[in-house]
Amino acid sequence: MAQRPTGVKKTDESARAIRFRQKHLLAIADLDRFEAENLLDRAEKFAPLLDERVKKLDTLRGRTLINLFFENSTRTQSSFELAGKRMGADVVNMSVKSSSVAKGETLIDTAATLNAMRPDLLVVRHGSSGAAELLSRKVDCAVINAGDGKHEHPTQALLDAFTIRSRLGGVEGLIIAICGDVLHSRVARSNVALLTLLGAQVRLIGPPTLMPAGAEKWGAKVFHDMRAGLKDADVVMMLRVQRERMTGGFFPSAREYFWFYGLDEEKLRHAKPGALVMHPGPMNRGVEIDSTVADNASVSLIETQVRMGVAVRMAVLEALAESGANEERS
Ligand code: ASP
């Protein structure tokens, strides 16, 4: 197992004391380190609950959470649903295909309709960057961005950081390599922002065609050679090749992509011995990751990520519900 570098602080006591002041969770870029650590500390409180027989709390009793997903989702939607139910909230899943949106209602009209139902928390996933932020300006409740186009997916980054912290004791000082289709990935954007905020050295690895212009200005080092980029990495985070967002030919074939950028046991040997592997899912096996790595429980954190996702989302719901209540009082 990769060792936690010396001098890594698990958490800063002052972060615990600080109240989460954001009304919404739209982007990691809006958070400072204390707020980010505050959310991770809260998640730590909820993680043990996942193993209890009775998992229910009443923190959000009487509150309503609406899950509004314009893009398909398996993990994120069910994770928010479980998190909301475990906190005691009433959870409504809006199926967008069967809603008025399919009949041509605009995002703004949808926002007005939902607002009239007086929800307390609105979780939104949309194919356009900025959609969650736009909604947040049109509704009275707290909005959580569950992925907006290629922009951000803040709770994914929080659950990734929480998974790393739970396994290695901290994030500061670690070398974390994020590999693959960076261009189309909101997961990469949110993770670079959060992991650098928490003091990690982040590397981005991918073919030039899948690396956004100016990526080196995000605070991460860019590599096009995977073996060079993996050298000494404590954590290797693989990204899905997002064919649904590709308009042209970004690489010749899946086979060739795997040859250069697919994570298999041979390439993983270039990282630090015992390096851990992550993937936000869903995986394209044999394209960006080989099953021998993905299913190897001694290196793969992929299932842990899914588990930790519920605890992190409970933390986010709690923090936003509290900050909403404080706002009402002030
Ligand atoms: N599930 C993640 C997202 O919604 C990653 C992916 O789809 O590749 O961005």
Side-chain angles (χ1 to χ4, degrees):
M1 198 180 84
Q3 290 302 305
R4 184 174 144 196
T6 47
V8 172
K9 276 183 282 155
K10 189 167 175 206
T11 183
D12 185 329
E13 280 307 312
S14 50
R16 285 187 194 281
I18 238 152
R19 177 161 69 77
F20 189 79
R21 289 195 203 85
Q22 304 283 335
K23 177 170 184 201
H24 308 287
L25 180 63
L26 302 174
I28 295 295
D30 299 335
L31 304 182
D32 62 25
R33 183 165 179 168
F34 286 128
E35 288 170 321
E37 288 186 341
N38 179 269
L39 292 174
L40 301 180
D41 289 346
R42 285 173 193 262
E44 210 154 281
K45 177 177 75 182
F46 293 122
L49 193 73
L50 307 178
D51 297 319
E52 298 288 323
R53 200 170 64 82
V54 177
K55 303 182 175 68
K56 212 144 171 109
L57 301 173
D58 66 358
T59 321
L60 295 182
R61 189 150 52 97
R63 307 285 190 106
T64 306
L65 181 156
I66 299 184
N67 255 337
L68 178 64
F69 278 64
F70 293 86
E71 275 189 342
N72 290 340
S73 164
T74 322
R75 262 157 286 263
T76 307
Q77 183 166 351
S78 51
S79 184
F80 270 111
E81 182 176 354
L82 269 179
K85 287 182 171 165
R86 285 179 182 171
M87 305 286 286
D90 295 316
V91 181
V92 179
N93 286 309
M94 293 266 309
S95 165
V96 172
K97 282 199 188 82
S98 60
S99 77
S100 302
V101 177
K103 298 174 196 152
E105 193 175 83
T106 65
L107 187 61
I108 307 292
D109 292 336
T110 309
T113 308
L114 292 177
N115 202 39
M117 295 178 197
R118 294 277 171 267
D120 301 282
L121 296 143
L122 183 60
V123 177
V124 61
R125 168 171 289 189
H126 197 279
S128 303
S129 304
E133 201 266 333
L134 178 66
L135 263 185
S136 74
R137 283 193 265 129
K138 305 287 173 192
V139 295
D140 302 313
C141 65
V143 174
I144 301 167
N145 180 6
D148 61 331
K150 297 187 271 182
H151 176 226
E152 277 237 26
H153 191 351
T155 58
Q156 178 71 46
L158 286 163
L159 78 86
D160 290 339
F162 186 62
T163 303
I164 296 170
R165 194 173 103 157
S166 306
R167 183 65 180 257
L168 297 177
V171 171
E172 180 144 13
L174 296 176
I175 300 180
I176 303 179
I178 304 180
C179 320
D181 181 359
V182 180
L183 181 66
H184 300 106
S185 179
R186 51 198 178 204
V187 173
R189 278 171 186 73
S190 291
N191 261 309
V192 172
L194 182 59
L195 297 171
T196 53
L197 188 67
L198 297 176
Q201 281 183 52
V202 183
R203 299 177 183 168
L204 290 169
I205 308 172
T209 49
L210 291 175
M211 194 59 71
E216 52 293 325
K217 296 196 198 101
W218 297 3
K221 200 160 178 219
V222 174
F223 292 80
H224 299 302
D225 180 275
M226 189 155 173
R227 291 174 182 83
L230 290 184
K231 192 171 176 308
D232 298 330
D234 296 279
V235 177
V236 183
M237 192 180 283
M238 299 307 298
L239 300 172
R240 181 173 67 91
V241 170
Q242 305 212 5
R243 291 180 195 275
E244 77 279 16
R245 299 191 209 282
M246 293 186 186
T247 44
F250 286 84
F251 51 88
S253 67
R255 218 182 130 118
E256 186 161 333
Y257 184 87
F258 183 76
W259 174 259
F260 287 104
Y261 295 102
L263 187 67
D264 56 11
E265 287 174 329
E266 186 280 317
K267 291 196 196 78
L268 186 57
R269 279 198 285 276
H270 291 261
K272 192 179 260 180
L276 298 166
V277 175
M278 303 175 79
H279 192 301
M283 286 183 273
N284 292 309
R285 290 170 184 266
V287 181
E288 71 263 0
I289 193 162
D290 193 62
S291 292
T292 53
V293 175
D295 300 335
N296 177 351
S298 63
V299 297
S300 170
L301 292 179
I302 298 169
E303 271 184 26
T304 315
Q305 288 173 268
V306 178
R307 268 174 61 75
M308 297 305 189
V310 179
V312 163
R313 286 169 179 129
M314 289 170 83
V316 169
L317 297 179
E318 180 193 65
L320 290 177
E322 264 176 27
S323 83
N326 285 325
E327 200 175 68
E328 272 164 30
R329 258 179 249 126
S330 58

